[in-house]
Amino acid sequence: MHIPDQATARVLVVGDVMLDRYWFGDVARISPEAPVPVVKIERNEERPGGAANVARNVAALGARVGLLSVVGDDEAGQSLQRLLSASGIEVSLHVDRAISTTVKLRVIGRQQQLLRIDFETTPSHEVLRGKLAEFAARLTDFDAVVLSDYGKGGLAHIAEMIRLARAAGKRILVDPKGDDFAKYAGATVVTPNRAELRAIVGRWQDEAELVRKAEALRSALDLEALLVTRSEEGMSLVRAGGAVHEKALAREVFDVSGAGDTVIATLSVMLAGGAGWADAVRAANVAAGIVVGKLGTAVVSRRELESALN
């Protein structure tokens, strides 16, 4: 299977970016102050997270990628800018002086996540309007748009973005968040995980009921497809003509954080390059199987994916 390159696949990623910080240490004792482990920090790492991790994944697959988002006027925002500029992404981070850049700090001891601390604030309206204007201007340069919603407020104008992208004839992929999917109406594909889908359509007893409920949602939102990622159960693509199921491929699951980013990034590269649904979903499933074998928010390289596919 061929993975499209920069000449044929151009993806614009818009959404909530964040800085993923990792503090790695050793746990040798329990605190005398409270029944909690004491972690002696030995090293730390920073990686782009959220929509920025989606963009990194697109770049790692060899496609052309632009990233449009909002950060605070702070050290974490500058770190994100520096990390992203080094990875071949066309970055446009609008600075909002009224907010702090979203940071997720994870404390890792003995290869296990012990604690996560989140810092976040919602961007201001003026900055988001400026971002929308830039989105409208840059649309023509890209084949597909990924709207990566982490519920941090950076996609307040998502319905308008979908309308603009659809009018321009672009493929629109949405990674959803929250209990209101109406704002995603008109997208090409929405990619909820099991829990996100359950929050919208309720529980299902078996495969047939899952497909029935997913199809009703797909139809109500006027989507071309709905892709449900189901962890160890693989993923299911629901379209008007029926459902296609892909089995999970991970040999060893080390860390699922960021797996959804890899799935939507791979799907966007394949669709932007003209691949059909079956090939696009197969490639996304194989990429997910690779990335969950890595620690933290990670990427799958073009070479890794090609060798796994072939």
Side-chain angles (χ1 to χ4, degrees):
M1 191 191 300
H2 171 70
I3 297 167
D5 56 21
Q6 286 201 337
T8 50
R10 305 168 304 168
V11 179
L12 178 61
V13 179
V14 189
D16 299 309
V17 295
M18 54 198 73
L19 184 64
D20 283 337
R21 286 201 156 123
Y22 296 87
W23 288 0
F24 296 94
D26 188 39
V27 180
R29 64 196 180 98
I30 299 298
S31 169
E33 303 158 1
V36 293
V38 175
V39 187
K40 186 166 174 285
I41 301 300
E42 287 159 353
R43 67 185 177 89
N44 57 62
E45 247 180 64
E46 291 184 341
R47 299 176 195 173
N53 187 47
V54 178
R56 277 176 75 222
N57 270 275
V58 174
L61 291 173
R64 184 184 154 204
V65 60
L67 174 66
L68 185 51
S69 192
V70 179
V71 292
D73 185 12
D74 51 20
E75 171 267 337
Q78 289 157 9
S79 286
L80 259 179
Q81 182 77 49
R82 192 181 63 250
L83 288 165
L84 290 166
S85 301
S87 53
I89 298 164
E90 298 165 25
V91 191
S92 177
L93 299 179
H94 289 231
V95 175
D96 186 342
R97 291 187 163 76
I99 69 163
S100 301
T101 302
T102 299
V103 175
K104 288 186 179 176
L105 169 61
R106 295 172 176 91
V107 181
I108 316 271
R110 293 186 183 158
Q111 301 292 317
Q112 272 189 320
Q113 191 178 143
L114 302 174
L115 177 69
R116 194 180 98 185
I117 305 165
D118 291 6
F119 306 84
E120 60 192 54
T121 32
T122 305
S124 61
H125 196 70
E126 296 68 36
V127 171
L128 293 175
R129 286 246 45 114
K131 192 179 89 168
L132 179 62
E134 187 184 343
F135 173 81
R138 292 183 67 184
L139 253 186
T140 50
D141 290 343
F142 296 92
D143 307 300
V145 174
V146 174
L147 300 169
S148 180
D149 192 353
Y150 271 80
K152 310 299 181 197
L155 284 173
H157 300 297
I158 192 164
E160 177 71 357
M161 288 176 170
I162 290 172
R163 191 188 64 72
L164 288 165
R166 192 166 174 164
K170 310 297 180 185
R171 302 313 273 283
I172 309 150
L173 301 90
V174 180
D175 193 351
K177 187 63 94 201
D179 54 9
D180 171 24
F181 276 24
K183 60 191 170 192
Y184 307 135
T188 306
V189 59
V190 177
T191 63
N193 61 30
R194 269 186 309 209
E196 287 161 347
L197 184 68
R198 200 178 291 128
I200 302 296
V201 303
R203 298 189 171 276
W204 50 86
Q205 296 303 316
D206 52 27
E207 205 79 9
E209 191 181 4
L210 163 64
V211 171
R212 202 164 59 246
K213 288 189 162 187
E215 168 54 25
L217 180 64
R218 183 206 68 76
S219 170
L221 295 176
D222 187 25
L223 310 172
E224 199 177 314
L226 190 74
L227 179 68
V228 188
T229 56
R230 303 168 63 191
S231 298
E232 75 285 350
E233 294 173 350
M235 51 182 71
S236 301
L237 179 79
V238 178
R239 294 167 67 209
V244 178
H245 185 68
E246 288 275 344
K247 283 197 184 73
L249 297 173
R251 285 177 294 282
E252 182 184 15
V253 176
F254 203 60
D255 191 343
V256 297
S257 60
D261 297 338
T262 299
V263 167
I264 201 164
T266 309
L267 199 63
S268 72
V269 170
M270 297 299 289
L271 293 175
W277 283 107
D279 281 351
V281 173
R282 184 172 160 242
N285 192 47
V286 170
I290 298 168
V291 85
V292 296
K294 302 181 180 190
L295 178 63
T297 37
V299 299
V300 174
S301 73
R302 185 187 183 90
R303 182 177 294 166
E304 280 177 304
L305 184 54
E306 277 180 340
S307 95
L309 283 168
N310 302 322

